[in-house]
Amino acid sequence: MSTLLTANWNYPTSIKVGAGRIHELVEACYALGIKSPLLVTDSNLTKLPVIESILTQCRDAGLFISLFADVKANPSGAHVIAGVNAYQKGQHDGVIAFGGGSVIDAGKAIALMIGQDRPLWDFEDIGDNWQRVNAAGIAPVIAVPSTAGTGSEVGRASVITDTQQQRKKIIFHPKMMPAMVILDPEVTVALPPNITAATGMDALSHCLEAYCAPGYHPLAEGIALEGIRLIKEHLPRVMQNGNDINSRTQMLVASSMGATAFQRGLGAMHALAHPLGAIYDAHHGRLNAILMPYVLHANRSAIEYKIRRLATYLEIENGFDGFLDWVIRLRQELGIEYSLTEIGIDKRHAKRIATMATEDPSAQSNPILFDTQQYERILITAIQGDSLHHSETVKMGLAEAP
């Protein structure tokens, strides 16, 4: 355990960082007044010794804990309702969300909904819908990420799939932010390499889109910049040696930094990844990873000066082109597919997905406000795995600033 990588932070929330700090979970519960937590996770994680260890640790300390493991990737409204039912049945007073982004998103949505008398979709992040929430009814959440990707542990929203409409919807309220976060790299060691790669690229997409977003937020921009550097340095190391605790720590931190930074906004990667994930049930991080160079290239005219500055900070030569080459090489090194076709996505729903992308909240903070036709061209380029020469992008009409 490295003492240099141990810290207590309160921005954006209270965060405990370091190897072995999962053992402070009981202390965290008592600090928040939680005596009967609902442990929210997924069925795969229940097979790991750490889940039994958490249950034993809490019960030995006199906490009345029970387990809810009915969360799937790309969680739906039905998963949230089932969690609310489990919470109420067990007379719980708080949530421990242990898992990847899907689990933590579900856990936060469950904590939100236990005190509401409106349906979940009434709180979609549109206009001032968040003001409909009975804030006093939101339960406290302790988040323990088992992946270094989404950064949901420091987010004020959950991405939940509306299966009837086949849409991912962002459910938002400022008090959905977990009250306590534990970033323990030891719980991420069991991650298989393909998940480590996809979640790591998801963290990169958050930092990168937040960095490129046009809104004024120097704090978020600085956090995003350093998050990208940490990922550049430590994601390859984690892939080479999954037991590298220092690099696992830095990836967890970079993941939290990405989600802290994207308070500034996201962009076209997420605007496309959300409908693709809803329709094809594909892994969100992998979608962002595949889309990344195509979206960067489409945004080139609006972000080239920023990417040149970023490349200098990362010690990458040749400005925008050098940075784009690094992204493509990194994907290849991590085993990420070059095109969407390689993960079973074809052109059948291209126009529908492009329309949904323009309606996604992430589209509003993309450096260029693409229309449906432009999103469709980007998507088809990513499906086919087309070349990424700048001249071709200009010819396609994708590099025109507003």
Side-chain angles (χ1 to χ4, degrees), residues 23 40 100 109-110 121 126 158 180 187 197 205 225 227 236 259 291 309 347 372 387:
H23 299 297
V40 177
I110 291 165
W121 311 126
I126 297 173
S158 295
M180 185 81 72
V187 307
S205 75
L225 189 71
L291 290 163
R309 190 168 65 201
K347 300 178 188 177
T372 301
S387 175

Side-chain angles (χ1 to χ4, degrees), residues 29 55 71 76 84 98 151 164 178 183 201 205 211 280 324 354 360 370 402:
C29 286
L55 293 171
V71 178
S76 69
V84 170
F98 180 99
Q164 286 191 333
L183 301 182
M201 289 297 288
S205 75
Y211 175 74
Y280 289 95
L324 190 62
D360 191 274
F370 296 128

Side-chain angles (χ1 to χ4, degrees), residues 148 188-189 191-193 196-197 231 233-252 334:
T188 70
V189 169
L191 269 183
T196 297
I231 293 165
E233 181 175 341
H234 294 283
L235 182 53
R237 292 182 183 179
V238 167
M239 291 297 292
Q240 292 164 9
N241 176 13
N243 294 312
D244 185 332
I245 293 297
N246 278 354
S247 287
R248 287 280 188 192
T249 302
Q250 297 285 28
M251 283 304 301
L252 276 171
L334 300 179

